[in-house]
């Protein structure tokens, strides 16, 4: 069996990610009208703040982590080192095996991978937290002590589908405690502008709060509520 490796695209400079990770996923999600949200089942298991990076996609057989290790080796050989988030999507099949571990996290960090989004289970969670939490984010379905196999090949760098969201290599992955979103690379810069404008708008609203304004004035609800609110005696 031969592993399928697709071309990994060139990506924006890393300084863009420095700015992107200053904004929570809620702003990004609103900027793209919730398109790309990977669902509530994928939760942060390790990490702090916002994990931001370019999608490195891996499709693997259920319960087998070999392809993710080969993806790490592939990134080691790249001349352009960015910040990547590996997105691991197994084929259909019930398994409690952990598709991600501390060893994968440590190896990934050394080659420019800053996080992993796994549509499956993760082991060594406490060890990853203790040794890598400030540098590396891990998102998945939960923890499992069950080891994976390392015998079957999958695909690296092809589009994957997670919770009905298609993720392509080079898409922007943003993840924090609220959840994970994937933004298509062709709308990243526009989404960034909208998300940044939302933060400015919220700052202006907070200034009004400090001036003593209430939600009706700040959110412009007066017309909407006219005649709908009954005041008690």
């Amino acid at each position: 069996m031969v592993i399928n490796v697709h071309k990994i695209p060139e990506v924006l400079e890393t300084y863009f990610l420095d700015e992107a990770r200053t904004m929570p996923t809620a702003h990004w999600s609103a900027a793209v009208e919730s398109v790309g949200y990977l669902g509530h089942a994928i939760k942060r298991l390790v990490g702090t703040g916002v994990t931001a990076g370019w999608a490195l996609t891996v499709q693997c057989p259920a319960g087998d982590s070999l392809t993710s290790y080969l993806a790490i080796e592939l990134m080691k050989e790249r001349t352009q080192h960015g910040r990547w988030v590996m997105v691991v999507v197994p084929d259909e099949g019930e398994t409690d095996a952990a598709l991600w571990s501390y060893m994968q996290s440590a190896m990934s960090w050394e080659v420019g991978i800053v996080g992993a989004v796994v549509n499956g289970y993760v082991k060594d969670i406490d060890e990853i937290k203790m040794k890598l939490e400030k540098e590396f984010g891990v998102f998945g379905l939960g923890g499992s002590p069950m080891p994976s196999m390392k015998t079957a090949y999958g695909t690296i760098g092809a589009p994957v589908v997670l919770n009905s969201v298609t993720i392509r290599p080079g898409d922007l992955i943003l993840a924090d405690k609220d959840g994970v979103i994937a933004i298509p690379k062709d709308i990243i810069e526009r989404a960034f502008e909208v998300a940044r404008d939302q933060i400015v708008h919220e700052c202006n609203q907070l200034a009004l709060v400090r001036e003593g304004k209430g939600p009706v004035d700040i959110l412009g609800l007066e017309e909407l509520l006219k005649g709908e609110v009954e005041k008690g005696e």
Side-chain angles (χ1 to χ4, degrees):
M1 186 178 295
V2 178
I3 188 168
N4 294 311
V5 180
H6 295 243
K7 183 179 179 180
I8 307 299
E10 300 300 312
V11 292
L12 296 174
E13 297 293 335
T14 55
Y15 72 81
F16 176 85
L17 295 175
D18 289 334
E19 292 193 56
R21 66 195 302 266
T22 65
M23 297 184 287
T25 57
H27 289 293
W28 285 98
S29 185
V32 294
E33 298 179 345
S34 300
V35 173
Y37 172 51
L38 300 188
H40 65 273
I42 304 293
K43 300 177 176 65
R44 182 164 73 185
L45 305 175
V46 178
T48 60
V50 178
T51 297
W54 314 113
L56 172 63
T57 55
V58 170
Q59 185 90 37
C60 62
D64 197 296
S65 61
L66 176 61
T67 308
S68 63
Y69 281 99
L70 296 177
I72 297 169
E73 184 67 26
L74 176 67
M75 299 310 291
K76 181 181 177 182
E77 297 171 358
R78 279 180 64 91
T79 56
Q80 184 200 21
H81 288 290
R83 288 190 195 140
W84 300 84
V85 173
M86 192 182 300
V87 181
V88 181
V89 178
D91 297 333
E92 291 185 6
E94 291 291 331
T95 177
D96 289 330
L99 291 175
W100 197 263
S101 66
Y102 169 71
M103 187 60 69
Q104 285 154 293
S105 302
M107 290 178 175
S108 293
W109 174 246
E110 294 298 325
V111 298
I113 300 171
V114 298
V117 175
V118 185
N119 193 24
Y121 298 104
V122 176
K123 68 175 184 176
D124 309 326
I125 292 175
D126 284 343
E127 188 173 10
I128 303 171
K129 283 184 177 180
M130 181 173 64
K131 297 178 180 178
L132 286 172
E133 182 166 43
K134 291 184 179 179
E135 292 85 15
F136 201 85
V138 181
F139 301 79
L141 300 179
S144 171
M146 301 295 291
S148 63
M149 298 182 292
K150 299 177 184 64
T151 57
Y153 293 145
T155 302
I156 299 171
V160 296
V161 179
L162 201 168
N163 193 31
S164 300
V165 176
T166 299
I167 304 170
R168 295 173 175 81
D171 286 352
L172 177 60
I173 303 297
L174 294 143
D176 59 17
K177 198 166 184 178
D178 288 346
V180 183
I181 59 174
I183 299 179
K185 56 188 174 184
D186 58 340
I187 66 168
I188 287 173
E189 292 182 271
R190 174 57 184 156
F192 176 78
E193 292 175 5
V194 175
R196 186 171 52 189
D197 288 345
Q198 287 184 333
I199 290 178
V200 172
H201 181 62
E202 282 195 2
C203 288
N204 292 334
Q205 289 181 321
L206 287 171
L208 294 175
V209 171
R210 296 187 183 98
E211 292 175 6
K213 302 288 186 181
V216 171
D217 290 330
I218 294 172
L219 301 178
L221 301 177
E222 185 174 345
E223 287 298 318
L224 178 66
L225 298 177
K226 189 176 293 185
E228 297 295 330
V229 177
E230 293 184 4
K231 296 183 179 180
E233 295 295 332

